[in-house]
Coordinates of all heavy atoms in Angstrom, one line a residue:
M1 N 0.8 -1.2 0.0 CA 0.0 0.0 0.1 C 0.9 1.3 -0.1 O 1.9 1.2 0.7 CB -0.9 0.1 1.3 CG -2.0 -1.0 1.2 SD -3.3 -0.9 0.2 CE -4.7 -0.5 1.2
S2 N 0.3 2.2 -0.7 CA 1.0 3.5 -0.7 C 0.1 4.5 -0.1 O -1.1 4.4 -0.2 CB 1.5 3.9 -2.1 OG 2.4 3.0 -2.6
K3 N 0.6 5.6 0.4 CA -0.1 6.8 0.9 C -0.2 7.7 -0.3 O 0.8 8.0 -1.0 CB 0.6 7.5 2.1 CG 0.4 6.7 3.3 CD 1.0 7.6 4.4 CE 1.6 6.8 5.5 NZ 2.8 7.3 6.1
I4 N -1.4 8.3 -0.4 CA -1.6 9.6 -1.2 C -2.2 10.7 -0.4 O -3.0 10.5 0.5 CB -2.6 9.3 -2.3 CG1 -2.2 8.0 -3.2 CG2 -2.6 10.5 -3.3 CD1 -3.1 7.6 -4.3
L5 N -1.7 11.9 -0.6 CA -2.1 13.1 0.2 C -2.9 14.0 -0.7 O -2.3 14.3 -1.8 CB -0.9 13.8 0.9 CG -0.1 13.0 1.8 CD1 1.1 13.8 2.1 CD2 -0.9 12.6 3.0
F6 N -4.2 14.0 -0.6 CA -5.0 15.0 -1.4 C -5.1 16.1 -0.6 O -5.5 16.3 0.5 CB -6.3 14.3 -1.6 CG -6.4 13.2 -2.6 CD1 -6.3 11.8 -2.1 CD2 -6.5 13.5 -3.9 CE1 -6.3 10.9 -3.1 CE2 -6.6 12.4 -4.8 CZ -6.4 11.0 -4.4
V7 N -4.8 17.4 -1.2 CA -4.8 18.7 -0.7 C -6.1 19.4 -1.3 O -6.1 19.7 -2.5 CB -3.4 19.4 -0.9 CG1 -3.6 20.8 -0.2 CG2 -2.3 18.6 -0.5
H8 N -7.0 19.8 -0.3 CA -8.1 20.5 -0.7 C -7.8 22.0 -1.1 O -6.7 22.4 -0.5 CB -9.3 20.4 0.3 CG -9.7 19.0 0.4 ND1 -10.9 18.6 -0.3 CD2 -9.3 18.0 1.0 CE1 -11.1 17.3 0.0 NE2 -10.2 16.8 0.9
P9 N -8.5 22.7 -1.9 CA -8.2 24.0 -2.3 C -8.2 24.9 -1.0 O -7.4 26.0 -1.0 CB -9.5 24.5 -3.0 CG -10.1 23.1 -3.6 CD -9.8 22.1 -2.6
E10 N -8.8 24.6 0.1 CA -8.8 25.4 1.4 C -7.5 25.1 2.0 O -7.3 25.8 3.2 CB -10.0 25.2 2.2 CG -11.3 25.2 1.5 CD -11.7 24.0 0.8 OE1 -11.4 22.8 1.3 OE2 -12.2 24.1 -0.3
G11 N -6.7 24.1 1.6 CA -5.6 23.8 2.4 C -5.5 22.5 3.2 O -4.5 22.0 3.6
E12 N -6.9 22.0 3.5 CA -6.9 20.7 4.3 C -6.2 19.5 3.6 O -6.5 19.4 2.3 CB -8.3 20.5 4.5 CG -8.6 19.2 5.4 CD -9.9 18.6 5.3 OE1 -10.9 19.4 4.7 OE2 -10.1 17.6 5.7
T13 N -5.5 18.8 4.2 CA -4.9 17.5 3.7 C -5.5 16.3 4.1 O -5.9 16.1 5.4 CB -3.4 17.4 4.0 OG1 -2.8 18.7 3.4 CG2 -2.8 16.2 3.2
Q14 N -5.8 15.5 3.1 CA -6.6 14.1 3.6 C -5.7 13.0 2.9 O -5.3 13.0 1.8 CB -7.9 14.1 2.8 CG -8.8 13.2 3.3 CD -10.2 13.2 2.8 OE1 -10.5 14.3 2.2 NE2 -11.0 12.4 3.0
E15 N -5.3 12.2 3.9 CA -4.3 11.0 3.5 C -5.3 9.7 3.3 O -6.0 9.4 4.1 CB -3.4 10.8 4.8 CG -2.4 9.8 4.4 CD -1.4 9.6 5.5 OE1 -0.7 10.6 6.0 OE2 -1.3 8.5 6.1
V16 N -4.9 9.1 2.2 CA -5.6 7.8 1.8 C -4.6 6.7 1.5 O -3.4 7.0 1.2 CB -6.7 7.9 0.7 CG1 -7.8 9.0 1.1 CG2 -6.0 8.1 -0.5
E17 N -5.0 5.5 1.8 CA -4.2 4.4 1.4 C -4.6 3.9 -0.1 O -5.7 4.1 -0.4 CB -4.4 3.2 2.3 CG -4.1 3.4 3.8 CD -2.6 3.3 4.0 OE1 -1.9 2.5 3.1 OE2 -2.0 3.8 4.9
A18 N -3.6 3.7 -1.0 CA -3.9 3.2 -2.2 C -3.1 1.9 -2.5 O -1.9 1.8 -2.3 CB -3.5 4.2 -3.2
A19 N -3.8 0.9 -3.1 CA -3.1 -0.4 -3.4 C -2.5 -0.2 -4.7 O -2.8 0.6 -5.7 CB -4.2 -1.5 -3.5
E20 N -1.3 -0.8 -4.7 CA -0.4 -0.8 -6.0 C -1.2 -1.3 -7.1 O -1.9 -2.5 -6.9 CB 0.9 -1.5 -5.8 CG 1.7 -0.8 -4.8 CD 3.1 -1.5 -4.6 OE1 3.5 -2.3 -5.3 OE2 3.8 -1.1 -3.5
G21 N -1.2 -0.7 -8.3 CA -1.9 -1.1 -9.5 C -3.1 -0.4 -9.6 O -3.8 -0.4 -10.6
S22 N -3.7 0.2 -8.5 CA -5.0 0.9 -8.6 C -4.8 2.2 -9.1 O -3.5 2.6 -9.1 CB -5.7 0.9 -7.2 OG -5.0 1.6 -6.3
S23 N -5.8 3.0 -9.3 CA -5.6 4.4 -9.7 C -5.8 5.4 -8.5 O -6.4 5.0 -7.5 CB -6.7 4.8 -10.8 OG -8.0 4.9 -10.2
A24 N -5.2 6.6 -8.7 CA -5.4 7.5 -7.6 C -6.8 8.0 -7.4 O -7.3 8.2 -6.4 CB -4.5 8.8 -7.9
M25 N -7.5 8.0 -8.6 CA -8.9 8.3 -8.5 C -9.7 7.1 -7.7 O -10.5 7.5 -6.7 CB -9.6 8.2 -9.9 CG -11.1 8.4 -10.0 SD -11.9 6.8 -9.7 CE -11.9 6.2 -11.4
R26 N -9.4 5.9 -7.7 CA -10.1 4.9 -7.0 C -9.7 5.0 -5.5 O -10.6 4.9 -4.6 CB -9.6 3.5 -7.4 CG -10.3 2.3 -7.0 CD -11.9 2.4 -7.3 NE -12.3 2.5 -8.7 CZ -13.4 2.8 -9.2 NH1 -14.4 3.1 -8.4 NH2 -13.7 2.9 -10.6
A27 N -8.5 5.4 -5.2 CA -8.1 5.5 -3.9 C -8.9 6.7 -3.3 O -9.3 6.6 -2.1 CB -6.5 5.7 -3.8
A28 N -9.0 7.8 -4.0 CA -9.8 8.8 -3.6 C -11.2 8.4 -3.2 O -11.7 8.8 -2.1 CB -9.7 10.1 -4.5
L29 N -11.9 7.8 -4.1 CA -13.3 7.4 -3.9 C -13.4 6.5 -2.6 O -14.3 6.7 -1.9 CB -13.9 6.8 -5.1 CG -14.0 7.7 -6.3 CD1 -14.8 6.9 -7.4 CD2 -14.7 9.0 -6.0
T30 N -12.5 5.5 -2.6 CA -12.5 4.5 -1.4 C -12.3 5.2 -0.2 O -12.8 4.9 0.8 CB -11.4 3.5 -1.8 OG1 -11.8 2.7 -2.9 CG2 -11.5 2.4 -0.7
G31 N -11.4 6.3 -0.3 CA -11.0 7.0 1.0 C -11.9 8.0 1.4 O -11.8 8.8 2.4
G32 N -12.9 8.3 0.6 CA -14.0 9.3 1.0 C -13.6 10.8 0.7 O -14.1 11.6 1.4
V33 N -12.7 10.9 -0.3 CA -12.3 12.3 -0.6 C -13.2 13.0 -1.5 O -13.6 12.5 -2.4 CB -10.9 12.2 -1.4 CG1 -10.4 13.6 -1.8 CG2 -9.7 11.6 -0.5
Q34 N -13.7 14.1 -0.9 CA -14.5 15.0 -1.6 C -13.8 15.8 -2.7 O -12.7 16.1 -2.4 CB -15.4 16.0 -0.6 CG -16.0 15.3 0.5 CD -17.3 14.7 0.0 OE1 -18.1 15.3 -0.8 NE2 -17.5 13.5 0.4
G35 N -14.4 16.1 -3.8 CA -13.7 16.9 -4.8 C -13.3 16.0 -6.0 O -12.7 16.6 -6.9
I36 N -13.5 14.7 -6.0 CA -13.3 13.8 -7.2 C -14.6 13.3 -7.6 O -15.1 12.5 -6.8 CB -12.2 12.7 -6.9 CG1 -10.9 13.3 -6.5 CG2 -12.2 11.7 -8.1 CD1 -10.0 13.8 -7.6
A37 N -15.1 13.6 -8.7 CA -16.4 13.1 -9.1 C -16.3 11.8 -9.9 O -17.1 10.8 -9.6 CB -17.2 14.3 -10.0
A38 N -15.5 11.8 -10.9 CA -15.1 10.5 -11.6 C -16.5 10.0 -12.1 O -16.7 8.8 -12.1 CB -14.6 9.4 -10.6
D39 N -17.1 10.8 -12.9 CA -18.4 10.5 -13.4 C -18.3 9.2 -14.4 O -19.3 8.6 -14.6 CB -19.0 11.6 -14.2 CG -19.5 12.8 -13.4 OD1 -19.8 12.4 -12.2 OD2 -19.6 13.9 -13.8
C40 N -17.2 9.2 -15.1 CA -17.1 8.1 -16.2 C -16.5 6.8 -15.6 O -16.5 5.7 -16.4 CB -16.3 8.5 -17.4 SG -14.4 8.5 -17.1
G41 N -16.2 6.7 -14.3 CA -15.8 5.5 -13.8 C -14.3 5.2 -14.0 O -13.9 4.0 -13.8
G42 N -13.6 6.1 -14.6 CA -12.2 5.8 -14.8 C -11.7 5.5 -16.3 O -10.7 5.0 -16.5
E43 N -12.6 6.0 -17.2 CA -12.4 5.7 -18.7 C -11.7 6.8 -19.4 O -11.7 6.9 -20.7 CB -13.8 5.6 -19.4 CG -14.6 4.2 -18.9 CD -13.7 2.9 -19.0 OE1 -13.1 2.8 -20.1 OE2 -13.7 2.0 -18.1
A44 N -11.2 7.8 -18.6 CA -10.5 9.0 -19.2 C -11.4 9.8 -20.1 O -11.0 10.2 -21.1 CB -9.3 8.7 -19.9
S45 N -12.8 9.9 -19.8 CA -13.6 10.4 -20.8 C -14.6 11.5 -20.2 O -15.7 11.9 -20.7 CB -14.6 9.4 -21.5 OG -15.3 8.5 -20.6
C46 N -14.3 11.9 -18.9 CA -15.1 13.0 -18.4 C -14.4 14.2 -17.7 O -15.0 15.1 -17.5 CB -16.0 12.3 -17.1 SG -15.1 11.7 -15.7
A47 N -13.2 13.9 -17.4 CA -12.3 15.0 -16.9 C -12.9 15.5 -15.4 O -12.6 16.7 -15.0 CB -12.2 16.2 -17.8
T48 N -13.6 14.7 -14.8 CA -14.1 15.1 -13.4 C -13.2 14.3 -12.4 O -13.8 14.5 -11.2 CB -15.6 14.8 -13.2 OG1 -15.9 13.4 -13.3 CG2 -16.4 15.6 -14.2
C49 N -12.1 14.0 -12.7 CA -11.1 13.5 -11.7 C -9.9 14.3 -11.8 O -8.8 13.7 -11.3 CB -10.9 11.9 -11.9 SG -10.1 11.7 -13.4
H50 N -10.0 15.6 -12.3 CA -8.8 16.3 -12.4 C -8.0 16.7 -11.0 O -8.7 16.9 -10.1 CB -9.3 17.6 -13.0 CG -8.3 18.7 -13.3 ND1 -8.6 20.0 -13.4 CD2 -6.9 18.6 -13.7 CE1 -7.5 20.7 -13.8 NE2 -6.5 19.8 -14.0
V51 N -6.6 16.6 -11.3 CA -5.9 17.0 -9.9 C -4.6 17.7 -10.6 O -4.3 17.5 -11.8 CB -5.4 15.7 -9.2 CG1 -6.6 15.1 -8.5 CG2 -4.7 14.7 -10.0
Y52 N -4.0 18.4 -9.7 CA -2.7 19.1 -9.9 C -1.7 18.3 -9.2 O -1.8 18.2 -7.9 CB -2.7 20.5 -9.5 CG -3.8 21.4 -10.3 CD1 -4.8 22.0 -9.4 CD2 -3.8 21.6 -11.6 CE1 -5.7 22.8 -10.1 CE2 -4.8 22.3 -12.2 CZ -5.7 23.0 -11.4 OH -6.7 23.7 -12.0
V53 N -0.9 17.6 -9.9 CA 0.2 16.9 -9.3 C 1.2 17.8 -8.4 O 1.6 18.8 -9.1 CB 1.1 16.0 -10.1 CG1 2.2 15.3 -9.6 CG2 0.1 15.1 -11.0
G54 N 1.6 17.4 -7.3 CA 2.5 18.3 -6.6 C 3.8 18.4 -7.4 O 4.2 17.5 -7.8
E55 N 4.3 19.7 -7.3 CA 5.5 20.0 -8.2 C 6.7 18.9 -8.1 O 7.3 18.6 -9.0 CB 5.9 21.3 -8.0 CG 5.1 22.5 -8.2 CD 5.1 22.9 -9.7 OE1 6.0 22.4 -10.4 OE2 4.1 23.6 -10.1
E56 N 6.8 18.6 -6.8 CA 7.9 17.6 -6.6 C 7.7 16.3 -7.0 O 8.6 15.6 -7.0 CB 8.2 17.7 -5.0 CG 7.2 17.2 -4.2 CD 5.9 18.2 -3.8 OE1 5.7 19.0 -4.6 OE2 5.4 18.0 -2.8
W57 N 6.5 15.9 -7.4 CA 6.1 14.6 -7.7 C 6.0 14.6 -9.4 O 5.8 13.4 -9.9 CB 4.9 14.2 -7.1 CG 5.1 13.8 -5.7 CD1 4.8 14.7 -4.7 CD2 5.6 12.6 -5.2 NE1 5.2 14.0 -3.5 CE2 5.6 12.8 -3.8 CE3 5.9 11.4 -5.7 CZ2 6.1 11.8 -3.0 CZ3 6.4 10.3 -4.9 CH2 6.4 10.6 -3.5
A58 N 6.0 15.6 -9.9 CA 5.6 15.8 -11.4 C 6.5 14.7 -12.2 O 6.0 14.0 -13.2 CB 5.8 17.1 -12.0
D59 N 7.8 14.7 -12.0 CA 8.6 13.9 -12.8 C 8.4 12.3 -12.6 O 8.3 11.6 -13.6 CB 10.2 14.2 -12.5 CG 10.7 15.4 -13.1 OD1 9.9 16.0 -13.9 OD2 11.8 15.9 -12.7
K60 N 8.1 12.1 -11.3 CA 7.8 10.6 -11.1 C 6.6 10.2 -11.6 O 6.3 9.1 -12.0 CB 7.8 10.4 -9.5 CG 9.2 10.1 -8.9 CD 9.0 9.6 -7.5 CE 10.5 9.3 -7.0 NZ 10.4 9.1 -5.5
V61 N 5.6 11.0 -11.6 CA 4.2 10.6 -12.1 C 4.1 10.7 -13.5 O 3.5 9.9 -14.2 CB 3.1 11.7 -11.5 CG1 1.8 11.5 -12.3 CG2 3.0 11.5 -10.0
G62 N 4.9 11.6 -14.2 CA 5.0 11.7 -15.6 C 3.8 12.4 -16.2 O 2.9 13.0 -15.5
G63 N 3.7 12.6 -17.5 CA 2.8 13.4 -18.1 C 1.6 12.5 -18.6 O 1.7 11.3 -18.5
P64 N 0.6 13.0 -19.2 CA -0.6 12.4 -19.7 C -0.4 11.6 -21.0 O 0.5 12.0 -21.8 CB -1.7 13.6 -19.8 CG -0.9 14.7 -20.2 CD 0.4 14.6 -19.4
G65 N -1.1 10.6 -21.2 CA -1.1 10.0 -22.6 C -1.9 10.8 -23.5 O -2.4 11.8 -23.0
L66 N -2.0 10.3 -24.7 CA -2.6 11.1 -25.8 C -4.2 11.4 -25.6 O -4.6 12.6 -25.7 CB -2.5 10.4 -27.1 CG -1.0 10.6 -27.8 CD1 -1.1 9.9 -29.0 CD2 -0.6 12.0 -27.9
D67 N -4.7 10.3 -25.2 CA -6.2 10.4 -25.0 C -6.5 11.5 -23.6 O -7.4 12.2 -23.7 CB -7.0 9.1 -24.7 CG -7.0 8.3 -25.9 OD1 -6.7 8.9 -27.1 OD2 -7.3 7.1 -25.8
E68 N -5.7 11.2 -22.7 CA -5.9 11.9 -21.5 C -5.6 13.4 -21.8 O -6.3 14.3 -21.2 CB -4.9 11.4 -20.5 CG -4.9 12.2 -19.1 CD -3.9 11.7 -18.0 OE1 -3.3 10.6 -18.3 OE2 -3.9 12.4 -17.0
D69 N -4.5 13.6 -22.6 CA -4.2 14.9 -23.0 C -5.3 15.6 -23.7 O -5.5 16.9 -23.3 CB -2.9 14.9 -23.9 CG -2.2 16.3 -24.1 OD1 -2.0 16.9 -23.2 OD2 -2.1 16.7 -25.2
D70 N -6.0 15.0 -24.5 CA -7.1 15.6 -25.2 C -8.2 15.9 -24.1 O -8.8 17.0 -24.3 CB -7.7 14.6 -26.2 CG -6.9 14.4 -27.4 OD1 -5.9 15.3 -27.6 OD2 -7.0 13.6 -28.2
M71 N -8.5 15.0 -23.2 CA -9.5 15.2 -22.4 C -9.2 16.4 -21.2 O -10.1 17.1 -20.9 CB -9.8 13.9 -21.6 CG -11.1 13.9 -20.7 SD -12.6 14.4 -21.5 CE -12.6 13.3 -22.9
L72 N -8.0 16.6 -21.1 CA -7.6 17.6 -20.2 C -7.9 19.1 -20.7 O -7.9 20.1 -19.8 CB -6.1 17.6 -19.8 CG -5.8 16.6 -18.7 CD1 -4.2 16.2 -18.8 CD2 -6.2 16.8 -17.4
E73 N -8.3 19.0 -21.9 CA -8.8 20.4 -22.5 C -10.2 20.7 -21.9 O -10.7 21.9 -22.2 CB -8.8 20.4 -23.9 CG -7.5 20.3 -24.6 CD -6.5 21.4 -24.2 OE1 -7.0 22.4 -24.1 OE2 -5.3 21.1 -23.9
F74 N -10.9 19.8 -21.3 CA -12.2 19.9 -20.9 C -12.4 20.1 -19.3 O -13.5 19.8 -18.8 CB -13.2 18.8 -21.4 CG -13.1 18.8 -22.8 CD1 -12.4 18.0 -23.7 CD2 -13.9 19.6 -23.6 CE1 -12.2 17.9 -24.9 CE2 -14.0 19.6 -25.0 CZ -13.0 18.7 -25.8
T75 N -11.4 20.3 -18.7 CA -11.5 20.3 -17.2 C -12.2 21.6 -16.7 O -12.2 22.6 -17.5 CB -10.1 20.4 -16.5 OG1 -9.3 21.4 -17.1 CG2 -9.3 19.1 -16.8
A76 N -13.0 21.5 -15.7 CA -13.8 22.6 -15.3 C -13.0 23.8 -14.8 O -13.2 25.0 -14.9 CB -14.7 22.2 -14.1
C77 N -11.8 23.5 -14.2 CA -10.8 24.6 -13.7 C -9.6 24.6 -14.7 O -9.4 23.7 -15.4 CB -10.4 24.2 -12.3 SG -11.6 24.5 -11.1
E78 N -9.0 25.6 -14.6 CA -7.8 25.9 -15.5 C -6.9 24.7 -15.5 O -6.5 24.1 -14.4 CB -7.1 27.1 -15.0 CG -5.7 27.4 -15.5 CD -4.8 28.4 -14.8 OE1 -5.2 28.7 -13.6 OE2 -3.9 28.8 -15.4
R79 N -6.5 24.4 -16.7 CA -5.5 23.4 -16.9 C -4.1 24.0 -16.6 O -3.8 25.1 -17.1 CB -5.5 22.7 -18.3 CG -4.3 21.7 -18.5 CD -4.4 21.2 -20.0 NE -3.4 20.1 -20.0 CZ -3.3 19.4 -21.2 NH1 -4.1 19.5 -22.2 NH2 -2.3 18.4 -21.1
K80 N -3.3 23.3 -15.8 CA -1.8 23.7 -15.5 C -0.9 22.7 -16.0 O -1.2 21.5 -16.4 CB -1.8 23.9 -14.1 CG -2.6 25.0 -13.5 CD -2.5 25.1 -12.0 CE -3.5 26.2 -11.5 NZ -3.4 26.3 -10.0
P81 N 0.4 23.1 -16.1 CA 1.4 22.0 -16.5 C 1.4 20.7 -15.8 O 1.8 19.7 -16.3 CB 2.7 22.8 -16.4 CG 2.4 24.2 -16.5 CD 1.0 24.3 -15.8
T82 N 1.0 20.6 -14.6 CA 1.0 19.4 -13.8 C -0.4 18.8 -13.7 O -0.6 17.9 -12.8 CB 1.5 19.7 -12.3 OG1 0.6 20.7 -11.7 CG2 3.0 20.2 -12.3
S83 N -1.3 19.3 -14.6 CA -2.7 18.7 -14.6 C -2.6 17.1 -15.0 O -1.9 16.9 -16.0 CB -3.5 19.5 -15.4 OG -4.0 20.7 -14.9
R84 N -3.4 16.4 -14.3 CA -3.7 15.1 -14.7 C -5.0 14.5 -14.4 O -5.6 15.2 -13.6 CB -2.6 14.1 -14.0 CG -1.2 14.1 -14.3 CD -0.7 13.6 -15.7 NE -1.3 12.4 -16.0 CZ -0.7 11.2 -15.8 NH1 0.5 11.1 -15.4 NH2 -1.4 10.1 -16.2
L85 N -5.3 13.5 -15.1 CA -6.7 12.9 -14.6 C -6.3 11.7 -13.6 O -5.4 11.0 -14.0 CB -7.4 12.3 -15.9 CG -7.8 13.3 -16.9 CD1 -8.4 12.6 -18.1 CD2 -8.7 14.3 -16.4
S86 N -6.8 11.8 -12.4 CA -6.4 10.9 -11.5 C -6.7 9.5 -11.8 O -6.1 8.6 -11.2 CB -6.9 11.3 -10.1 OG -8.3 11.4 -10.1
C87 N -7.6 9.2 -12.6 CA -7.9 7.9 -13.0 C -6.9 7.2 -13.9 O -6.8 6.0 -14.0 CB -9.3 7.7 -13.7 SG -9.4 8.5 -15.4
Q88 N -6.0 8.1 -14.3 CA -5.0 7.6 -15.3 C -3.5 7.6 -14.5 O -2.6 7.2 -15.2 CB -4.8 8.5 -16.5 CG -6.1 8.5 -17.3 CD -6.7 7.1 -17.7 OE1 -5.9 6.4 -18.5 NE2 -7.8 6.8 -17.3
I89 N -3.6 7.9 -13.2 CA -2.3 7.7 -12.5 C -2.3 6.4 -11.7 O -3.2 6.1 -10.9 CB -2.2 8.9 -11.5 CG1 -2.3 10.3 -12.1 CG2 -0.9 8.7 -10.5 CD1 -2.2 11.5 -11.2
R90 N -1.4 5.4 -12.2 CA -1.4 4.1 -11.6 C -0.4 4.3 -10.4 O 0.7 4.8 -10.5 CB -0.8 3.2 -12.5 CG -1.7 2.8 -13.6 CD -2.8 1.9 -13.4 NE -3.9 2.3 -14.1 CZ -5.2 2.2 -13.7 NH1 -5.5 1.9 -12.4 NH2 -6.2 2.6 -14.5
I91 N -0.8 3.7 -9.4 CA 0.0 3.8 -8.1 C 1.0 2.5 -8.0 O 0.6 1.5 -8.3 CB -1.0 3.7 -6.8 CG1 -2.0 4.8 -6.9 CG2 -0.2 3.6 -5.5 CD1 -1.3 6.3 -7.0
D92 N 2.1 2.9 -7.7 CA 3.1 2.0 -7.4 C 4.0 2.5 -6.2 O 3.8 3.6 -5.8 CB 4.1 1.6 -8.7 CG 5.0 2.8 -9.1 OD1 5.4 3.6 -8.2 OD2 5.1 3.0 -10.3
R93 N 4.9 1.6 -5.7 CA 5.6 2.0 -4.5 C 6.4 3.2 -4.6 O 6.7 3.9 -3.7 CB 6.4 0.7 -4.0 CG 7.8 0.6 -4.6 CD 8.4 -0.6 -4.1 NE 8.0 -1.7 -4.9 CZ 8.5 -2.9 -4.9 NH1 9.5 -3.2 -4.1 NH2 8.1 -3.9 -5.7
N94 N 6.8 3.6 -5.8 CA 7.5 4.8 -6.0 C 6.7 6.1 -5.8 O 7.3 7.1 -5.7 CB 8.1 4.9 -7.6 CG 9.2 3.8 -7.7 OD1 9.9 3.6 -6.7 ND2 9.2 3.2 -8.9
L95 N 5.5 5.9 -5.7 CA 4.6 7.0 -5.6 C 4.0 7.1 -4.1 O 3.1 7.8 -3.8 CB 3.4 7.0 -6.4 CG 3.7 7.1 -8.0 CD1 2.5 7.2 -8.8 CD2 4.6 8.3 -8.2
D96 N 4.7 6.3 -3.1 CA 4.3 6.4 -1.8 C 4.4 7.8 -1.3 O 5.6 8.4 -1.4 CB 5.1 5.5 -1.0 CG 4.7 5.4 0.5 OD1 3.5 5.7 0.7 OD2 5.4 5.1 1.3
G97 N 3.5 8.5 -0.7 CA 3.6 9.9 -0.3 C 3.2 10.9 -1.3 O 3.3 12.1 -1.1
L98 N 2.7 10.4 -2.5 CA 2.3 11.4 -3.6 C 1.3 12.4 -3.1 O 0.4 12.2 -2.3 CB 1.6 10.5 -4.6 CG 0.9 11.2 -5.8 CD1 2.0 12.0 -6.7 CD2 0.1 10.4 -6.7
V99 N 1.6 13.7 -3.5 CA 0.7 14.9 -3.3 C -0.1 15.2 -4.5 O 0.5 15.5 -5.6 CB 1.6 16.0 -2.6 CG1 0.7 17.2 -2.6 CG2 2.4 15.7 -1.5
L100 N -1.4 15.2 -4.3 CA -2.2 15.7 -5.3 C -3.0 16.7 -4.9 O -3.8 16.6 -3.9 CB -3.1 14.4 -5.8 CG -2.4 13.2 -6.5 CD1 -3.3 12.0 -6.8 CD2 -1.6 13.7 -7.6
N101 N -3.1 17.9 -5.7 CA -3.9 19.0 -5.2 C -5.3 19.0 -5.9 O -5.2 18.8 -7.1 CB -3.1 20.3 -5.5 CG -1.8 20.4 -4.9 OD1 -1.8 20.6 -3.6 ND2 -0.7 20.2 -5.6
L102 N -6.3 19.3 -5.2 CA -7.6 19.2 -5.8 C -8.0 20.5 -6.4 O -7.7 21.7 -5.7 CB -8.7 18.8 -4.8 CG -8.6 17.3 -4.3 CD1 -9.2 17.2 -3.0 CD2 -8.9 16.3 -5.3
P103 N -8.7 20.7 -7.6 CA -9.1 22.0 -8.1 C -10.4 22.5 -7.3 O -11.0 21.6 -6.5 CB -9.4 21.6 -9.6 CG -9.9 20.2 -9.5 CD -9.1 19.5 -8.4
E104 N -10.7 23.6 -7.6 CA -11.9 24.3 -6.9 C -13.2 23.6 -7.3 O -14.1 23.5 -6.4 CB -12.0 25.7 -7.3 CG -11.0 26.6 -6.9 CD -11.2 27.0 -5.4 OE1 -12.2 26.9 -4.8 OE2 -10.1 27.6 -4.9
S105 N -13.3 23.0 -8.5 CA -14.4 22.3 -8.9 C -14.1 21.2 -10.0 O -13.0 21.4 -10.6 CB -15.5 23.3 -9.4 OG -15.0 23.9 -10.6
Q106 N -15.0 20.3 -10.2 CA -14.7 19.4 -11.4 C -15.8 19.6 -12.4 O -16.9 20.0 -12.2 CB -14.9 17.9 -10.8 CG -13.9 17.6 -9.8 CD -12.5 17.3 -10.3 OE1 -12.3 17.3 -11.6 NE2 -11.5 17.1 -9.5
Ligands
FES1 FE1 -13.6 10.3 -15.9 FE2 -11.1 10.1 -14.8 S1 -13.0 9.4 -14.0 S2 -11.8 11.0 -16.7

């Protein structure tokens, strides 16, 4: 299991456990994190699981794939260089302690 820290726009941090191989989105839903809607269930087709990867984690997490990159044009909040769809972030042990910042809305 790895830890993921979700940081709410107001600054509150919520820590959840994530099984390796699962997605950050799934960990958020399981952990009761508010602010991840995930309307499409993880198919990279709704952009309601948008997060901003913590700057210090950006290299480890990497950038979006082509389909994800297209869908990131439809986020409710501004897209930034570290924007990702959390359903497309696969958790492995290298991401233990990952920081994901939540946008104001999805
Ligand atoms: Fe729909 Fe991630 S859950 S794009």
Side-chain angles (χ1 to χ4, degrees):
M1 294 290 245
S2 294
K3 275 184 221 152
I4 307 179
L5 303 170
F6 286 92
V7 182
H8 292 267
E10 315 76 42
E12 180 202 344
T13 299
Q14 196 170 351
E15 181 179 309
V16 301
E17 297 278 335
E20 287 177 20
S22 71
S23 70
M25 174 277 277
R26 189 59 59 194
L29 294 188
T30 302
V33 174
Q34 301 290 312
I36 296 285
D39 290 341
C40 77
E43 299 297 321
S45 59
C46 72
T48 63
C49 66
H50 180 207
V51 292
Y52 302 117
V53 175
E55 297 281 345
E56 66 278 26
W57 288 94
D59 286 346
K60 275 191 179 169
V61 172
L66 285 180
D67 289 347
E68 180 184 353
D69 191 51
D70 287 345
M71 191 51 57
L72 281 166
E73 296 301 322
F74 299 96
T75 54
C77 285
E78 174 194 10
R79 179 180 182 173
K80 297 179 182 177
T82 59
S83 285
R84 290 290 312 268
L85 298 178
S86 59
C87 68
Q88 302 302 304
I89 299 175
R90 291 285 148 218
I91 301 304
D92 64 38
R93 83 183 84 169
N94 293 322
L95 296 182
D96 186 29
L98 174 65
V99 175
L100 298 176
N101 299 291
L102 293 161
E104 295 277 349
S105 62
Q106 294 286 359

